[in-house]
Amino acid sequence: MTTSIKALVRLKLPKDPLFRLLAVNGLAGTAIAGLVLGGIFLGNIGNLRVLVMSAEDPVLPVIMLAFGLFITLGSVVMGSAIMLLGDNSRNGNGGGGSARRRLPVFFTGQLKPVPVPAKAGCRHDLRR
């Protein structure tokens, strides 16, 4: 019986690694948004809970706030996951994201100044 419950609970994730990354981080972002929404109402930030409960239809403001938080925080978590794809600092290069990569050097010769002649021309009056 526990195997059937595990099969029901298990999410069907996409096989493509990029879409799987986006789906997992999107779900994490919506969970964080749910926690933030609960914290806003639990802490009564800006007297928002009292305003919503005294509204004629309290469901609509909650849905609108939840939708905005889900879009915003879901996008933030998904975007940060995308931006961290090429980060090699988590693969044993030490802590922090300040590991600099060495760029290939294409020029190894000496730099020489190049003379550029300036042509003398009439000056334009900029006050016109």
Side-chain angles (χ1 to χ4, degrees), residues 14-98:
K15 293 186 185 214
D16 186 24
L18 177 65
F19 291 136
R20 186 179 317 125
L21 176 80
L22 291 176
V24 168
N25 285 292
L27 289 174
T30 56
I32 292 170
L35 289 173
V36 169
L37 181 67
I40 287 172
F41 284 124
L42 185 66
N44 198 17
I45 296 175
N47 211 18
L48 191 63
R49 181 180 58 203
V50 174
L51 286 172
V52 167
M53 291 304 159
S54 64
E56 187 177 318
D57 184 19
V59 176
L60 183 63
V62 172
I63 289 174
M64 290 175 62
L65 181 61
F67 182 73
L69 285 172
F70 289 156
I71 293 295
T72 303
L73 295 177
S75 299
V76 165
V77 174
M78 288 168 54
S80 63
I82 291 291
M83 287 186 271
L84 286 173
L85 276 178
D87 188 20
N88 292 332
S89 65
R90 295 184 291 169
N91 296 338
N93 289 352
S98 63

Side-chain angles (χ1 to χ4, degrees), residues 1-11:
M1 182 156 155
T2 58
T3 57
S4 64
I5 293 173
K6 286 182 183 178
L8 289 175
V9 173
R10 187 172 213 183
L11 294 174

Side-chain angles (χ1 to χ4, degrees), residues 100-117:
R100 296 215 173 202
R101 296 183 186 140
R102 295 280 182 189
L103 295 176
V105 178
F106 295 112
F107 178 74
T108 58
Q110 292 291 334
L111 298 176
K112 292 186 254 179
V114 177
V116 178

